[in-house]
Amino acid sequence: MSNPILYPRYAERRLVEALQDSPVVLIHGPRQCGKTTLAQMTCTPNHATRGGNGPAWAHSRENRDYRYFSFDDPVTRDGVRADPTGFVADLPERAILDEVQRVPELFEAIKISVDRQRVPGRFLLTGSTNVFLVPQLSDSLAGRVQIVPLHPLTQFELTDHSGPTHPEADFLNALFDDGFPMFQCERLGIRLVEKVVAGGYPAALARPTPRRSANWYRDYVEALVQRDARDITRIRSLNVLPRLLRAAAAHTAQLFNLSDLASPFELSRPSIGDYITLLERLFLLERLPAWHDNRLKRLVKSPKLHLTDTGLATALLGTDPRALAGERKLLGQLVETFAFQELRRQASWRDAPAEFFHFRDKDGTETDIVIERASGAVAGVEIKAAASVSSRDFRGLRRLQRAAGSRFVRGVVLYDGEASIPFGDRFHAVPMSRLWKMP
């Protein structure tokens, strides 16, 4: 049996730095996205590494002496619940505590322990629940924990797992700083559809066919409902969750409309709203807020809905690459979500903080993705699944430029074409593959 592929995770540099600075570090992201593998590769002495192709920032051998504990193990979980303070007191000097959302009793005990002995890198936690949406958990460790987000694999990480391009040469760097020179490349065509359907979960990517990958995704959703969802909610009708997530997949990259999502279900709008929040807590979907300037009154403020992985979305919708290629409207939605998630994932490992939005005015003129840096610089990205671009495709980006004023840096239409071409000052048509490949 062959060994599983160990992909590079560019979040590793942020993880190592966080362990040098903070007593508690939390890797958080969806189940099966690689949190445990990243923690063990970085911090346990006997875990497999990528050999000579590992990154220069890998944790030194003397700092790889963490002991590993998983709270998916029922015996460990019950022991913590019986005596959380005693469990923490008996831990070794450095510990990896995996899937901590399953034992919320632990957070207060960790807080007390850290306040007594504030040593950087003492606890490395992983969690599959978004702590920002669980106040009682985030409040316990406020000021004591540094969070390292981890997502499913980016196309950037998948392009060449043995020696990839340095992450600082990515699309975001070009968008805000270097710009996009003219170049020619091969059109992706059906390969783009295949990437959308494959998604970014390592276990699904290891399956040899799209059908078997789709089976993994559907089993994944069922496991989350039966295990993690029951741990964090008292909602009884959890059988609604897979159906609601399927409905959300059909609405991905569209304005969030709670009434539309609630209409197929015999539940109230507030109840469906609670389910949506639960799916967000499990990193299965997210709402992308609208960008607006307080001086502008004609902007739509509704968020957009995106599933967090297009492989998951296509599995729930029962479509494969050939069928999806023929459904142009759905393909356009999923390509937009695919590009958005690629950019979000790449931004998570960068030093320069960035916030993501969409832009839409009352006339319906829109830009799919707006990225704003802490400095106030604003850039826009429009997504097209088509192989051609015209000046009309820049209408939303030009409207965003007028709204952002001097803060506007650049506008790009990403499309499935062959050429990177300027469309006037600070506007470019760029092939989709530039998201993960250098020209």
Side-chain angles (χ1 to χ4, degrees):
M1 184 176 179
S2 61
N3 293 324
I5 296 173
L6 295 177
Y7 295 100
R9 302 312 303 259
Y10 288 119
E12 186 174 357
R13 177 177 63 86
R14 290 192 63 182
L15 174 58
V16 171
E17 290 175 352
L19 290 168
Q20 295 168 350
D21 296 336
S22 179
V24 184
V25 178
L26 170 65
I27 308 173
H28 84 161
R31 274 197 182 265
Q32 298 290 330
C33 74
K35 300 186 300 297
T36 302
T37 300
L38 175 60
Q40 292 183 330
M41 283 178 54
T42 307
C43 293
T44 59
N46 298 318
H47 197 272
T49 67
R50 291 185 297 277
N53 294 315
W57 56 76
H59 226 17
S60 61
R61 178 64 58 175
E62 60 268 23
N63 290 326
R64 288 168 54 93
D65 58 350
Y66 284 68
R67 288 276 306 281
Y68 174 79
F69 301 86
S70 173
F71 299 122
D72 279 339
D73 173 38
V75 175
T76 305
R77 199 163 60 240
D78 290 345
V80 172
R81 288 170 177 165
D83 182 12
T85 301
F87 178 86
V88 171
D90 290 339
L91 286 173
E93 184 178 351
R94 294 185 177 95
I96 298 171
L97 306 178
D98 202 9
E99 300 297 349
V100 292
Q101 79 281 349
R102 305 205 72 184
V103 282
E105 301 88 349
L106 196 65
F107 280 71
E108 185 63 26
I110 291 175
K111 171 183 177 295
I112 293 170
S113 179
V114 166
D115 288 346
R116 290 174 178 166
Q117 186 182 9
R118 202 177 183 94
V119 177
R122 189 168 170 211
F123 298 104
L124 175 55
L125 318 179
T126 80
S128 300
T129 296
N130 191 336
V131 296
F132 295 117
L133 299 175
V134 188
Q136 63 269 32
L137 299 187
S138 57
D139 291 349
S140 297
L141 293 176
R144 301 166 183 84
V145 63
Q146 185 167 337
I147 294 174
V148 177
L150 191 68
H151 302 272
L153 289 158
T154 64
Q155 296 301 312
F156 205 86
E157 291 165 320
L158 286 166
T159 298
D160 180 4
H161 56 77
S162 64
T165 308
H166 194 278
E168 292 306 314
D170 63 13
F171 181 90
L172 288 169
N173 187 64
L175 183 66
F176 279 96
D177 300 314
D178 297 339
F180 297 93
M182 295 178 65
F183 65 87
Q184 295 285 130
C185 66
E186 185 180 354
R187 180 173 176 257
L188 290 169
I190 190 63
R191 288 176 295 153
L192 174 60
V193 185
E194 290 169 348
K195 288 178 180 295
V196 168
V197 172
Y201 282 84
L205 291 164
R207 300 285 178 100
T209 66
R211 178 181 59 82
R212 289 164 69 175
S213 294
N215 289 338
W216 183 89
Y217 279 115
R218 286 189 285 268
D219 291 344
Y220 172 76
V221 172
E222 184 63 28
L224 285 183
V225 170
Q226 296 301 325
R227 180 176 50 194
D228 289 5
R230 293 185 186 279
D231 282 347
I232 63 176
T233 185
R234 296 179 181 178
I235 297 174
R236 293 183 179 180
S237 303
L238 290 176
N239 60 314
V240 170
L241 285 178
R243 294 165 53 210
L244 179 59
L245 191 58
R246 191 178 307 117
H251 285 81
T252 194
Q254 295 184 350
L255 289 179
F256 175 71
N257 188 313
L258 186 56
S259 296
D260 286 351
L261 290 172
S263 60
F265 303 97
E266 296 180 358
L267 292 168
S268 67
R269 291 176 72 254
S271 295
I272 293 296
D274 290 341
Y275 281 104
I276 292 292
T277 299
L278 176 58
L279 292 171
E280 288 180 299
R281 285 172 62 180
L282 294 172
F283 299 101
L284 294 174
L285 57 80
E286 61 183 300
R287 282 173 274 195
L288 178 65
W291 184 91
H292 60 88
D293 187 312
N294 289 332
R295 298 169 298 171
L296 301 174
K297 305 298 184 183
R298 288 182 47 77
L299 299 183
V300 171
K301 304 297 178 66
S302 299
K304 263 189 174 182
L305 187 69
H306 282 283
L307 257 70
T308 52
D309 188 84
T310 54
L312 177 64
T314 56
L316 290 167
L317 294 171
T319 189
D320 60 22
R322 180 176 295 181
L324 181 59
E327 297 183 59
R328 299 305 298 180
K329 181 178 184 297
L330 180 60
L331 176 61
Q333 292 174 229
L334 288 165
V335 168
E336 180 181 333
T337 292
F338 172 81
F340 165 63
Q341 294 300 353
E342 180 70 15
L343 289 168
R344 285 270 284 143
R345 294 169 188 181
Q346 289 187 19
S348 70
W349 67 57
R350 294 181 63 85
D351 293 330
E355 292 186 86
F356 284 74
F357 307 89
H358 77 96
F359 171 86
R360 185 183 182 97
D361 67 16
K362 298 290 186 181
D363 299 323
T365 304
E366 63 180 343
T367 296
D368 295 327
I369 304 168
V370 178
I371 308 170
E372 183 172 345
R373 282 186 164 178
S375 64
V378 172
V381 181
E382 183 70 16
I383 311 299
K384 286 193 67 179
S388 62
V389 176
S390 73
S391 59
R392 293 190 303 273
D393 296 313
F394 289 84
R395 183 184 175 201
L397 290 166
R398 296 187 189 282
R399 192 72 60 88
L400 173 66
Q401 181 187 34
R402 289 198 292 272
S406 61
R407 294 193 289 154
F408 183 82
V409 173
R410 188 168 284 109
V412 168
V413 173
L414 276 174
Y415 75 117
D416 186 23
E418 300 175 342
S420 174
I421 302 173
F423 269 74
D425 183 34
R426 292 190 285 177
F427 293 98
H428 306 262
V430 178
M432 191 77 63
S433 61
R434 180 60 183 85
L435 279 174
W436 59 90
K437 286 185 178 180
M438 292 292 292

